Amino acid sequence: MDHAAVLALYDRDIREGARPDGPGARIERTGQVVRQVADAQGWNSVVWSALDEGSVDRAIGEQIAYFTGLGRDFEWKLYGHDRPVDLGSRLTAAGFRAEPEETLLIGEVARLALDAEPPEGIRFVQATDPAGIDLVVDVHEKAFGTDGTRLRHRLLARLAADPGTVVAVVALAGDEPVSAARMELVPGTRFAGLWGGGTVEAWRGRGIYRALVGHRARVAAAHGYRYLQVDASAMSRPILERLGFHAVSTTTPYLYGS
């Protein structure tokens, strides 16, 4: 895989050419910044910028003024190859706080190892209704220790408005939800994104996460997508690289607001 070429394609199609990630959200382009604006339960974020030392501080101030004027907390999603090189420190100086860095991994679907099956006693079920989404959110809260209210809102809205663009899967041991993940299919691009893969602690180390990646990759292939993209934690990166994903950059959420 030509890392530079694929990263440039990702920047063009997924970031600069971003599409709203749910009903009620919109994409705005102002100067050299692309941002998503959503309601208070949605994702408000700067998703792309092309700034230099002469324009960066003004652009940061403009985004702060804009989102705070709407009464919204927001994120500036910073990638390791974004410019200027000190953009992160400038965001911090302006009042943003950095979340942990993750690795942007991209894999070509046709070259991934997709033969992993769920371990014995585990079955995968696609969540297509509120009861299924509740199972996905239950796993999310137990696996990551975070509140799933916003995730529930976003998934239910997406399934109601545009069900063909999101795949949510829960792994069940009997009737117990033990792992879950989702995939976003971005229309008009060659990329699908893997998100939220998490396993309840007592069930980790059994290959469920790996099998969930393979399951979603097969769905992406069936829909004609060429690449899968993941913002990977240090825990999931080695698994994904063994499956054939490549590290092409890093990504760090910089958060502004409460």
Side-chain angles (χ1 to χ4, degrees), residues 7 49 65 77 96 157 193 203:
L7 181 58
S49 65
K77 190 165 186 179
F96 288 80
W203 289 86

Side-chain angles (χ1 to χ4, degrees), residues 199-209:
T199 301
V200 176
E201 186 173 4
W203 289 86
R204 292 173 188 163
R206 307 189 192 194
I208 301 175
Y209 175 83

Side-chain angles (χ1 to χ4, degrees):
M1 190 175 77
D2 184 333
H3 291 194
V6 172
L7 181 58
L9 181 65
Y10 175 84
D11 279 343
R12 187 192 73 192
D13 286 359
I14 302 301
R15 301 182 63 208
E16 186 178 5
R19 294 152 180 79
D21 73 352
R26 65 183 185 272
I27 297 296
E28 296 181 346
R29 294 167 175 82
T30 172
Q32 292 299 100
V33 170
V34 175
R35 63 194 177 205
Q36 173 166 290
V37 184
D39 62 23
Q41 293 292 330
W43 185 50
N44 290 273
S45 180
V46 171
V47 297
W48 176 86
S49 65
L51 304 170
D52 56 33
E53 292 186 357
S55 62
V56 59
D57 291 327
R58 181 177 68 253
I60 292 172
E62 289 171 350
Q63 300 313 307
I64 292 173
Y66 179 80
F67 281 106
T68 56
L70 295 176
R72 299 281 189 271
D73 297 342
F74 76 106
E75 172 185 331
W76 192 303
K77 190 165 186 179
L78 178 67
Y79 288 75
H81 59 286
D82 286 346
R83 296 293 180 268
V85 294
D86 63 346
L87 179 51
S89 61
R90 290 175 185 263
L91 290 169
T92 301
F96 288 80
R97 63 188 186 279
E99 293 283 281
E101 179 184 274
E102 295 183 315
T103 303
L104 174 62
L105 298 176
I106 295 178
E108 192 166 1
V109 175
R111 299 187 177 187
L112 297 177
L114 303 180
D115 56 347
E117 295 295 332
E120 185 176 354
I122 300 294
R123 59 191 173 96
F124 292 162
V125 177
Q126 189 164 330
T128 58
D129 58 20
I133 295 303
D134 282 346
L135 294 177
V136 171
V137 172
D138 178 66
V139 170
H140 178 89
E141 292 181 333
K142 291 176 179 176
F144 298 111
T146 56
D147 179 61
T149 302
R150 287 190 174 187
L151 175 62
R152 178 182 288 106
H153 170 84
R154 291 171 62 186
L155 284 176
L156 288 174
R158 188 83 168 263
L159 286 174
D162 203 356
T165 64
V166 63
V167 176
V169 184
V170 61
L172 298 174
D175 294 326
E176 180 187 358
V178 298
S179 187
R182 65 189 190 275
M183 177 170 64
E184 297 184 2
L185 305 170
V186 186
T189 78
R190 283 164 277 187
F191 291 90
L194 302 185
W195 301 97
T199 301
V200 176
E201 186 173 4
W203 289 86
R204 292 173 188 163
R206 307 189 192 194
I208 301 175
Y209 175 83
R210 175 188 171 96
L212 276 170
V213 172
H215 176 85
R216 288 174 290 166
R218 289 190 290 271
V219 173
H223 283 81
Y225 284 85
R226 182 173 180 181
Y227 299 106
L228 286 177
Q229 167 262 319
V230 190
D231 292 349
S233 68
M235 181 182 298
S236 59
R237 177 178 175 177
I239 301 171
L240 292 163
E241 288 182 326
R242 287 195 294 270
L243 291 174
F245 285 81
H246 298 262
V248 297
S249 190
T250 60
T251 177
T252 305
Y254 280 78
L255 307 182
Y256 193 93
S258 59

